[in-house]
Amino acid sequence: MSVYILTLSCPDRVGIVHAVSGFLLERGGNIEEAAQYNDHGTGLFFMRVRFACERVPEAQLRTDLGGLAEGFGMAWKLHAAEQPMKTVILVSREGHCLNDLLFRWKSGLLPVDIRAIISNHRDFYQLAAGYNVPFHHIPVTAATKAQAEARQLEVIEAEGAQLVVLARYMQILSNELCGQLQGRAINIHHSFLPSFKGAKPYYQAHDRGVKLIGATAHYVTADLDEGPIIEQDVARADHTDTVEDLTARGRDTESLVLARAVKWHSEHRVLLNGHRTVVFR
């Protein structure tokens, strides 16, 4: 039995759920999971449906969905549910998020297919080899940034990556590369922004005596660290914590938040809603 995930958004109106469910019923589709959301602020409707369908082939489903969508002004995507999402990871010299993603992937906890790791340093080539993942060392300097990004994009496209994860990749992507990766690149960073910018944010946080530390996972856009947020979380801190304590707790939180964001994206649970996201968890 073929299983699919349909995601859609359109202007809200009466009868959308009925039309979608009726469309699937007519083609012998069995709905296994469904979720919908009406944003009263924007007047938009969002829906995610997981369904099984054997009677109608995928190509015909896509053709028929085009006709349904036209009548409602829908933006829609149809995905094969059992197909893991091809993913490329970018990393620099902090490997906690990379290590966590690789372990979850090999443990069967993430529906992704990690096709390559790209880094501007050589630190994690042995870790990549241990998971049998191709490792691409692409150094980046101010003088070679354009050439380096061209090479990165070449690897990403050659692997057919549907998802690019910046797992503590400490280079700012150009506007051009951000545009190429729009909607399929996720970044992770601490949640001290905009209060503690620049180097050593945990030192700044410790100096100010923060009581909460956290992490944010968001889609990459040309506006640095301001893309649509997918997931966030926090951890408590107190006066006994050292900078090292805060840093360790922050890294744990970053790993968890990024893993959730990657899982939800790869399960097609995240829909863009302007500068925000709808996440059908």
PDB file of all heavy atoms in Angstrom, residues 81-99:
ATOM      1  N   ALA A  81       5.407   9.068   1.855  1.00  0.00           N
ATOM      2  CA  ALA A  81       5.657   9.084   3.298  1.00  0.00           C
ATOM      3  C   ALA A  81       6.834   8.210   3.711  1.00  0.00           C
ATOM      4  O   ALA A  81       7.541   8.531   4.671  1.00  0.00           O
ATOM      5  CB  ALA A  81       4.396   8.640   4.041  1.00  0.00           C
ATOM      6  N   GLU A  82       7.050   7.123   3.018  1.00  0.00           N
ATOM      7  CA  GLU A  82       8.084   6.177   3.435  1.00  0.00           C
ATOM      8  C   GLU A  82       9.459   6.521   2.890  1.00  0.00           C
ATOM      9  O   GLU A  82      10.433   5.813   3.166  1.00  0.00           O
ATOM     10  CB  GLU A  82       7.691   4.757   2.998  1.00  0.00           C
ATOM     11  CG  GLU A  82       6.336   4.304   3.505  1.00  0.00           C
ATOM     12  CD  GLU A  82       6.203   4.414   5.018  1.00  0.00           C
ATOM     13  OE1 GLU A  82       7.179   4.101   5.713  1.00  0.00           O
ATOM     14  OE2 GLU A  82       5.123   4.830   5.487  1.00  0.00           O
ATOM     15  N   GLN A  83       9.565   7.586   2.124  1.00  0.00           N
ATOM     16  CA  GLN A  83      10.841   7.953   1.524  1.00  0.00           C
ATOM     17  C   GLN A  83      11.601   8.904   2.443  1.00  0.00           C
ATOM     18  O   GLN A  83      11.163  10.029   2.686  1.00  0.00           O
ATOM     19  CB  GLN A  83      10.607   8.635   0.169  1.00  0.00           C
ATOM     20  CG  GLN A  83      11.874   9.018  -0.563  1.00  0.00           C
ATOM     21  CD  GLN A  83      11.568   9.611  -1.927  1.00  0.00           C
ATOM     22  OE1 GLN A  83      10.646   9.173  -2.614  1.00  0.00           O
ATOM     23  NE2 GLN A  83      12.340  10.612  -2.325  1.00  0.00           N
ATOM     24  N   PRO A  84      12.745   8.485   3.004  1.00  0.00           N
ATOM     25  CA  PRO A  84      13.492   9.376   3.901  1.00  0.00           C
ATOM     26  C   PRO A  84      14.010  10.593   3.152  1.00  0.00           C
ATOM     27  O   PRO A  84      14.329  10.525   1.961  1.00  0.00           O
ATOM     28  CB  PRO A  84      14.638   8.495   4.408  1.00  0.00           C
ATOM     29  CG  PRO A  84      14.788   7.424   3.377  1.00  0.00           C
ATOM     30  CD  PRO A  84      13.421   7.193   2.822  1.00  0.00           C
ATOM     31  N   MET A  85      14.088  11.721   3.842  1.00  0.00           N
ATOM     32  CA  MET A  85      14.463  12.976   3.217  1.00  0.00           C
ATOM     33  C   MET A  85      15.981  13.075   3.059  1.00  0.00           C
ATOM     34  O   MET A  85      16.730  12.993   4.047  1.00  0.00           O
ATOM     35  CB  MET A  85      13.939  14.152   4.046  1.00  0.00           C
ATOM     36  CG  MET A  85      14.185  15.509   3.423  1.00  0.00           C
ATOM     37  SD  MET A  85      13.324  16.853   4.298  1.00  0.00           S
ATOM     38  CE  MET A  85      11.629  16.544   3.791  1.00  0.00           C
ATOM     39  N   LYS A  86      16.440  13.263   1.840  1.00  0.00           N
ATOM     40  CA  LYS A  86      17.873  13.400   1.580  1.00  0.00           C
ATOM     41  C   LYS A  86      18.383  14.694   2.224  1.00  0.00           C
ATOM     42  O   LYS A  86      17.829  15.765   1.983  1.00  0.00           O
ATOM     43  CB  LYS A  86      18.141  13.401   0.082  1.00  0.00           C
ATOM     44  CG  LYS A  86      17.822  12.073  -0.596  1.00  0.00           C
ATOM     45  CD  LYS A  86      18.091  12.120  -2.079  1.00  0.00           C
ATOM     46  CE  LYS A  86      17.776  10.778  -2.737  1.00  0.00           C
ATOM     47  NZ  LYS A  86      18.013  10.830  -4.205  1.00  0.00           N
ATOM     48  N   THR A  87      19.439  14.550   3.027  1.00  0.00           N
ATOM     49  CA  THR A  87      19.897  15.645   3.873  1.00  0.00           C
ATOM     50  C   THR A  87      21.405  15.824   3.782  1.00  0.00           C
ATOM     51  O   THR A  87      22.151  14.846   3.722  1.00  0.00           O
ATOM     52  CB  THR A  87      19.511  15.363   5.342  1.00  0.00           C
ATOM     53  OG1 THR A  87      18.088  15.220   5.434  1.00  0.00           O
ATOM     54  CG2 THR A  87      19.964  16.483   6.268  1.00  0.00           C
ATOM     55  N   VAL A  88      21.835  17.079   3.773  1.00  0.00           N
ATOM     56  CA  VAL A  88      23.252  17.426   3.861  1.00  0.00           C
ATOM     57  C   VAL A  88      23.440  18.300   5.097  1.00  0.00           C
ATOM     58  O   VAL A  88      22.638  19.205   5.343  1.00  0.00           O
ATOM     59  CB  VAL A  88      23.738  18.168   2.601  1.00  0.00           C
ATOM     60  CG1 VAL A  88      25.140  18.746   2.801  1.00  0.00           C
ATOM     61  CG2 VAL A  88      23.738  17.226   1.394  1.00  0.00           C
ATOM     62  N   ILE A  89      24.482  18.012   5.870  1.00  0.00           N
ATOM     63  CA  ILE A  89      24.753  18.753   7.104  1.00  0.00           C
ATOM     64  C   ILE A  89      26.006  19.605   6.937  1.00  0.00           C
ATOM     65  O   ILE A  89      27.026  19.124   6.445  1.00  0.00           O
ATOM     66  CB  ILE A  89      24.934  17.800   8.300  1.00  0.00           C
ATOM     67  CG1 ILE A  89      23.660  16.979   8.515  1.00  0.00           C
ATOM     68  CG2 ILE A  89      25.280  18.585   9.561  1.00  0.00           C
ATOM     69  CD1 ILE A  89      23.774  15.954   9.636  1.00  0.00           C
ATOM     70  N   LEU A  90      25.918  20.874   7.361  1.00  0.00           N
ATOM     71  CA  LEU A  90      27.070  21.763   7.413  1.00  0.00           C
ATOM     72  C   LEU A  90      27.465  21.970   8.869  1.00  0.00           C
ATOM     73  O   LEU A  90      26.594  22.162   9.725  1.00  0.00           O
ATOM     74  CB  LEU A  90      26.760  23.115   6.765  1.00  0.00           C
ATOM     75  CG  LEU A  90      26.953  23.235   5.239  1.00  0.00           C
ATOM     76  CD1 LEU A  90      25.958  22.344   4.505  1.00  0.00           C
ATOM     77  CD2 LEU A  90      26.791  24.680   4.786  1.00  0.00           C
ATOM     78  N   VAL A  91      28.769  21.938   9.151  1.00  0.00           N
ATOM     79  CA  VAL A  91      29.243  22.059  10.525  1.00  0.00           C
ATOM     80  C   VAL A  91      30.609  22.735  10.516  1.00  0.00           C
ATOM     81  O   VAL A  91      31.328  22.686   9.513  1.00  0.00           O
ATOM     82  CB  VAL A  91      29.340  20.660  11.182  1.00  0.00           C
ATOM     83  CG1 VAL A  91      30.392  19.798  10.485  1.00  0.00           C
ATOM     84  CG2 VAL A  91      29.617  20.761  12.675  1.00  0.00           C
ATOM     85  N   SER A  92      30.953  23.373  11.637  1.00  0.00           N
ATOM     86  CA  SER A  92      32.287  23.954  11.781  1.00  0.00           C
ATOM     87  C   SER A  92      33.070  23.157  12.825  1.00  0.00           C
ATOM     88  O   SER A  92      33.437  22.024  12.567  1.00  0.00           O
ATOM     89  CB  SER A  92      32.201  25.445  12.130  1.00  0.00           C
ATOM     90  OG  SER A  92      31.732  26.181  11.007  1.00  0.00           O
ATOM     91  N   ARG A  93      33.267  23.715  14.020  1.00  0.00           N
ATOM     92  CA  ARG A  93      34.128  23.041  14.992  1.00  0.00           C
ATOM     93  C   ARG A  93      33.408  22.612  16.265  1.00  0.00           C
ATOM     94  O   ARG A  93      34.031  22.046  17.148  1.00  0.00           O
ATOM     95  CB  ARG A  93      35.306  23.942  15.356  1.00  0.00           C
ATOM     96  CG  ARG A  93      36.403  23.892  14.323  1.00  0.00           C
ATOM     97  CD  ARG A  93      37.624  24.645  14.755  1.00  0.00           C
ATOM     98  NE  ARG A  93      38.826  24.062  14.182  1.00  0.00           N
ATOM     99  CZ  ARG A  93      39.940  24.748  13.938  1.00  0.00           C
ATOM    100  NH1 ARG A  93      40.009  26.036  14.239  1.00  0.00           N
ATOM    101  NH2 ARG A  93      40.992  24.148  13.429  1.00  0.00           N
ATOM    102  N   GLU A  94      32.115  22.886  16.380  1.00  0.00           N
ATOM    103  CA  GLU A  94      31.335  22.416  17.519  1.00  0.00           C
ATOM    104  C   GLU A  94      30.459  21.260  17.030  1.00  0.00           C
ATOM    105  O   GLU A  94      29.555  21.467  16.229  1.00  0.00           O
ATOM    106  CB  GLU A  94      30.482  23.543  18.099  1.00  0.00           C
ATOM    107  CG  GLU A  94      31.308  24.680  18.699  1.00  0.00           C
ATOM    108  CD  GLU A  94      30.431  25.738  19.344  1.00  0.00           C
ATOM    109  OE1 GLU A  94      29.358  25.387  19.871  1.00  0.00           O
ATOM    110  OE2 GLU A  94      30.821  26.916  19.306  1.00  0.00           O
ATOM    111  N   GLY A  95      30.744  20.054  17.537  1.00  0.00           N
ATOM    112  CA  GLY A  95      30.139  18.868  16.937  1.00  0.00           C
ATOM    113  C   GLY A  95      28.974  18.263  17.678  1.00  0.00           C
ATOM    114  O   GLY A  95      28.495  17.186  17.293  1.00  0.00           O
ATOM    115  N   HIS A  96      28.455  18.933  18.720  1.00  0.00           N
ATOM    116  CA  HIS A  96      27.397  18.301  19.512  1.00  0.00           C
ATOM    117  C   HIS A  96      26.129  18.049  18.710  1.00  0.00           C
ATOM    118  O   HIS A  96      25.516  16.980  18.826  1.00  0.00           O
ATOM    119  CB  HIS A  96      27.094  19.123  20.766  1.00  0.00           C
ATOM    120  CG  HIS A  96      26.812  20.565  20.516  1.00  0.00           C
ATOM    121  ND1 HIS A  96      27.798  21.477  20.197  1.00  0.00           N
ATOM    122  CD2 HIS A  96      25.649  21.274  20.546  1.00  0.00           C
ATOM    123  CE1 HIS A  96      27.249  22.673  20.043  1.00  0.00           C
ATOM    124  NE2 HIS A  96      25.944  22.570  20.252  1.00  0.00           N
ATOM    125  N   CYS A  97      25.729  19.002  17.887  1.00  0.00           N
ATOM    126  CA  CYS A  97      24.504  18.821  17.086  1.00  0.00           C
ATOM    127  C   CYS A  97      24.726  17.786  15.978  1.00  0.00           C
ATOM    128  O   CYS A  97      23.851  16.947  15.716  1.00  0.00           O
ATOM    129  CB  CYS A  97      24.070  20.154  16.486  1.00  0.00           C
ATOM    130  SG  CYS A  97      23.377  21.304  17.689  1.00  0.00           S
ATOM    131  N   LEU A  98      25.882  17.837  15.340  1.00  0.00           N
ATOM    132  CA  LEU A  98      26.205  16.855  14.299  1.00  0.00           C
ATOM    133  C   LEU A  98      26.179  15.444  14.872  1.00  0.00           C
ATOM    134  O   LEU A  98      25.558  14.537  14.306  1.00  0.00           O
ATOM    135  CB  LEU A  98      27.580  17.163  13.716  1.00  0.00           C
ATOM    136  CG  LEU A  98      28.159  16.090  12.776  1.00  0.00           C
ATOM    137  CD1 LEU A  98      27.315  15.964  11.518  1.00  0.00           C
ATOM    138  CD2 LEU A  98      29.613  16.407  12.430  1.00  0.00           C
ATOM    139  N   ASN A  99      26.860  15.242  15.989  1.00  0.00           N
ATOM    140  CA  ASN A  99      26.934  13.920  16.605  1.00  0.00           C
ATOM    141  C   ASN A  99      25.546  13.415  16.986  1.00  0.00           C
ATOM    142  O   ASN A  99      25.214  12.239  16.778  1.00  0.00           O
ATOM    143  CB  ASN A  99      27.831  13.979  17.838  1.00  0.00           C
ATOM    144  CG  ASN A  99      28.177  12.606  18.371  1.00  0.00           C
ATOM    145  OD1 ASN A  99      28.643  11.745  17.645  1.00  0.00           O
ATOM    146  ND2 ASN A  99      27.942  12.401  19.652  1.00  0.00           N
TER     147      ASN A  99
END
